[in-house]
């Protein structure tokens, strides 16, 4: 178990489509443990493998008593629409309202390779969708209008100029990030 560095906007792995997990083995379980440790160290509510530099379809969630890992996750149904402020551990200090389906049904494999299905709403649904986006190389800023996105990214780049593309998790995030 280890806390890994988190990849930050500009790191190419955040834009890669992560690969399906063919077999849930000890290596995958070790990756999940590291994701849990890293998410906890960063005070996050979710973390995808891309964010620690591993382009494989694995992510973890920790929202309001609901803690789970998801391997090869997919959303089988979605309904409603809700706009809420979102933040990302890979784009520190940037927040914006993102509109997403309000309720989802998720299917994935767990740490032992068994399939599970959960219905989620509110923040769990949002965190799951945010992590699935990461596994497809998508970031929350991609959901903004071009103008809002441009403003956010140019301001962020100015504030984070000359910073490395990975950083040690810091638990100072003032708002829920994933
Ligand atoms: Zn994120």
């Amino acid at each position: 178990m280890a806390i890994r560095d988190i990849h930050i906007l500009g790191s190419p792995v955040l834009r890669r489509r992560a690969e399906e997990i063919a077999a849930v083995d000890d290596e995958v379980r070790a990756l999940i443990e590291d994701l849990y440790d890293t998410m906890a160290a960063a005070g996050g509510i979710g973390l995808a493998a891309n964010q620690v530099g591993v382009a494989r379809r694995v992510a973890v969630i920790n929202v309001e008593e609901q803690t789970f890992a998801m391997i090869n996750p997919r959303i089988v149904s979605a309904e409603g629409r809700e706009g809420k402020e979102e933040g990302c551990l890979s784009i520190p200090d940037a927040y914006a309202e993102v509109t997403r389906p309000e309720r989802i049904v998720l299917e994935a494999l767990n740490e032992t390779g068994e399939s599970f299905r959960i219905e989620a709403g509110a923040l769990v649904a949002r965190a799951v969708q945010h992590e699935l986006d990461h596994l497809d190389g998508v970031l929350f800023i991609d959901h903004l209008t071009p103008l809002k996105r441009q403003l956010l990214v140019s301001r962020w780049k100015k504030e984070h100029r000359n910073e490395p593309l990975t950083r040690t998790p810091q638990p100072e995030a003032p708002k829920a990030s994933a």
Side-chain angles (χ1 to χ4, degrees), residues 9-113:
L9 184 63
S11 173
V13 71
L14 294 176
R15 290 308 194 177
R16 272 187 62 190
R17 188 179 188 282
E19 285 169 20
E20 294 276 328
I21 299 288
V24 181
D25 53 18
D26 286 347
E27 200 186 329
V28 171
R29 282 185 280 273
L31 172 61
I32 287 170
E33 288 303 315
D34 287 359
L35 287 172
Y36 277 133
D37 289 350
T38 306
M39 174 173 63
I45 60 169
L47 190 67
N50 305 49
Q51 291 176 281
V52 297
V54 180
R56 304 184 75 188
R57 301 188 83 75
V58 182
V60 294
I61 297 288
N62 179 31
V63 179
E64 296 157 5
E65 319 282 302
Q66 288 217 58
T67 303
F68 57 90
M70 43 188 190
I71 299 164
N72 298 340
R74 61 191 192 97
I75 288 167
V76 292
S77 69
E79 63 180 38
R81 285 181 80 70
E82 187 182 39
K84 275 266 167 64
E85 191 173 65
E86 229 168 272
C88 180
L89 296 173
S90 294
I91 316 175
D93 319 316
Y95 301 91
E97 185 172 307
V98 176
T99 300
R100 297 185 185 272
E102 201 175 358
R103 294 198 62 80
I104 56 157
V105 176
L106 164 78
E107 254 181 28
L109 301 178
N110 66 15
E111 296 93 324
T112 53

Side-chain angles (χ1 to χ4, degrees), residues 38-44 89 167-175:
T38 306
M39 174 173 63
L89 296 173
R167 64 149 70 175
T168 307
Q170 298 158 25
E172 88 282 31
K175 299 175 188 175

